[in-house]
Amino acid sequence: MARLFGTDGVRGVAGRDLTAQLAMDLSVAAAHVLGDAGAFAATGRRPVAVVGRDPRASGEFLEAAVVAGLAASGVDVLRLGVLPTPAVAHLTAALGADLGVMLSASHNPAPDNGIKFLARGGFKLSDAVEDEIERRLGEEWTFPVGSGVGRVREAYGEANRYISHVLTTMSAALDGLSIVVDCAHGAAHMVAPEALVRAGARVESIGARPDGLNINAGHGSTHLDKLQQVVVSRGADLGVAYDGDADRCLAVDHTGAIIDGDHIMAILAAAMHGEGLLAKDTVVATVMSNLGFKLAMREAGITVVETAVGDRYVLERMKSEGYNLGGEQSGHVIMLDHATTGDGLLTSLHLLGVVAKSGVPLKELASVMTPLPQILINIKGVDKGKASAPDLLAAVAEAEAELGETGRVLIRPSGTEPMIRVMVEAASEEHATQVADRLADVVRKVCA
């Protein structure tokens, strides 16, 4: 059977792939793995879970199922309501909860939903813990009765605790900055505008009227057109955009040019490095970060450590080796001094803080790196198990020798489909396209 947990929890079409029954079963198993009531018997208290969600309509019935499963297993539940994933992570730690649950499918369309579990302290689960939860699905449990059942209460006011936390991490007010914020009709629609206003910015919000069905629809970090238009038409200093659960952030400058995750990490890394705040003078990025980012960091005296694609792998490397800044080109940025996961609001506040403190426009700050042209070709219907075939590796080595230090090749099998991705960066788009097309032909021939 295929593994139930993916790269970011359990996700699928709500009501078909992710049913109320599955949500309840997962929460029961998670209660026993992460908050085993037996382990708390000697202390005289029940384990505690916090549960949050994004505004998707399906989140209402899935939340009810998760809460039922946890309480039936003897776990006390605090219902946080609609909040970003990083807020749930922060509150898991701040409230001393034994586990956290977030219901969201991030940047996916409204029919999808997902369940992410967080361990004590607000960190994402390891593969091994997720496997243990999956293994224990459907076990015969002895459920508590009477005073042993979990109690459920609303804790919607805890959103302010999260807002106050992110604001305390800032070293500069945003007074005078004119900002457009796109909340993707998602989980940040209330907390992000409020936090930005409290930080001193003049704020115009778009994508901040969720109706349960419009999350990510034409708005947010995956649809920047509207944000670009509004920033330019209003003459704003810049704009920021979150995804559905607000664990990522992208930006646009005053001309409407997109500032992606690599640019944001470069700006933050350079600022932290200059203030002596960048741990070990190192930033952690995935293999998909643009070579231009790595060249810029080398020029600035900053080391780049690479991981596999996925913010969880970035976080694991940061925790194990003591780094405090990392992220992905997609806008997942982890500031480990202040958060346990990617946090779009926190990222935007610190990015805006650099603009405010330096007095330098975002467009100029982003010039710290020059992205190289990047061509990505997805070759479908191939045997991804042959991605390391000798003939393909030889073709890659030849391409790398041709590109030298001003280019890069990445061959990556898809984690979910019969597909191999070919990514090539070069000094010119024409050269990158030529090399990528050539390698794609080799993939089709060798991996058929």
Side-chain angles (χ1 to χ4, degrees):
M1 289 181 60
R3 188 171 185 268
L4 187 61
F5 282 88
T7 56
D8 202 17
V10 177
R11 192 174 294 184
V13 177
R16 186 184 70 193
D17 307 315
L18 184 55
T19 63
Q21 185 64 57
L22 177 57
M24 184 179 292
D25 291 345
L26 280 166
S27 64
V28 170
H32 286 80
V33 173
L34 298 171
D36 186 359
F40 292 86
T43 69
R45 77 169 181 91
R46 287 187 290 265
V48 176
V50 296
V51 179
R53 64 181 180 87
D54 71 23
R56 292 166 208 266
S58 60
E60 297 168 1
F61 80 77
L62 290 172
E63 178 191 48
V66 166
V67 170
L70 292 171
S73 302
V75 178
D76 287 341
V77 181
L78 302 177
R79 295 176 62 234
L80 301 175
V82 174
L83 277 182
T85 291
V88 175
H90 172 72
L91 292 169
T92 300
L95 298 174
D98 301 290
L99 68 152
V101 188
M102 178 66 185
L103 295 159
S104 176
S106 188
H107 59 281
N108 285 25
D112 292 351
N113 216 323
I115 300 179
K116 290 183 269 195
F117 292 101
L118 300 161
R120 188 179 291 109
F123 289 99
K124 290 185 177 182
L125 306 185
S126 67
D127 289 343
V129 174
E130 288 181 340
D131 289 341
E132 177 67 5
I133 293 172
E134 191 166 335
R135 186 184 69 79
R136 299 188 70 180
L137 273 176
E139 274 191 20
E140 291 292 328
W141 306 106
T142 299
F143 289 94
V145 297
S147 62
V149 302
R151 304 301 297 271
V152 181
R153 67 180 177 88
E154 296 179 351
Y156 299 152
E158 295 297 344
N160 188 61
R161 187 191 297 260
Y162 166 67
I163 294 173
S164 297
H165 162 68
V166 294
L167 290 175
T168 61
T169 70
M170 299 182 65
S171 61
L174 306 183
D175 297 347
L177 279 183
S178 172
I179 301 164
V180 181
V181 55
D182 187 340
C183 299
H185 295 306
H189 75 281
M190 292 183 66
V191 296
E194 180 177 345
L196 290 165
V197 168
R198 284 168 57 176
R202 298 196 309 274
V203 179
E204 177 173 350
S205 301
I206 63 174
R209 295 183 177 181
D211 62 11
L213 302 174
N214 61 356
I215 189 168
N216 300 311
H219 279 275
S221 61
T222 53
H223 303 280
L224 293 172
D225 293 0
K226 181 67 173 177
L227 179 63
Q228 291 171 298
Q229 293 168 9
V230 176
V231 166
V232 173
S233 66
R234 299 292 194 274
D237 293 313
L238 69 156
V240 293
Y242 311 113
D243 62 339
D245 68 335
D247 65 351
R248 70 174 75 179
C249 166
L250 294 180
V252 301
D253 66 24
H254 70 281
T255 71
I258 294 173
I259 310 298
D260 68 12
D262 283 344
H263 284 96
I264 292 172
M265 283 194 295
I267 293 168
L268 294 178
M272 293 170 66
H273 180 63
E275 296 180 10
L277 300 176
L278 186 63
K280 300 184 179 181
D281 297 320
T282 297
V283 62
V284 182
T286 76
V287 294
M288 288 302 290
S289 275
N290 193 279
L291 179 58
F293 167 75
K294 296 161 192 174
L295 294 175
M297 293 297 92
R298 184 171 68 185
E299 181 69 21
I302 298 170
T303 300
V304 177
V305 171
E306 287 189 347
T307 74
V309 175
D311 62 316
R312 63 188 300 169
Y313 303 113
V314 172
L315 178 60
E316 286 173 5
R317 192 69 171 270
M318 292 173 68
K319 289 171 61 180
S320 66
E321 300 189 16
Y323 305 126
N324 63 352
L325 179 66
E328 298 186 284
Q329 192 179 65
S330 61
H332 283 117
V333 177
I334 303 170
M335 305 186 75
L336 201 50
D337 291 337
H338 310 301
T340 58
T341 186
D343 187 330
L345 176 57
L346 179 73
T347 300
S348 63
L349 285 169
H350 281 259
L351 176 66
L352 296 168
V354 176
V355 175
K357 197 170 185 178
S358 66
V360 177
L362 182 58
K363 183 177 181 65
E364 187 174 337
L365 288 172
S367 67
V368 67
M369 69 162 279
T370 302
L372 295 182
Q374 187 179 82
I375 300 298
L376 178 65
I377 301 177
N378 295 322
I379 302 100
K380 299 181 179 181
V382 293
D383 184 353
K384 61 184 181 182
K386 296 180 179 179
S388 58
D391 287 351
L392 180 53
L393 293 179
V396 169
E398 181 181 343
E400 289 175 333
E402 176 184 331
L403 294 168
E405 290 191 359
T406 60
R408 189 166 66 109
V409 174
L410 180 65
I411 306 293
R412 189 166 69 91
S414 167
T416 58
E417 302 176 69
M419 179 169 66
I420 293 177
R421 308 181 195 277
V422 173
M423 190 273 286
V424 176
E425 291 169 341
S428 72
E429 185 170 352
E430 181 182 9
H431 194 186
T433 301
Q434 289 174 353
V435 175
D437 286 341
R438 192 165 72 234
L439 288 172
D441 288 339
V442 175
V443 169
R444 293 184 186 98
K445 179 180 178 182
V446 172
C447 303

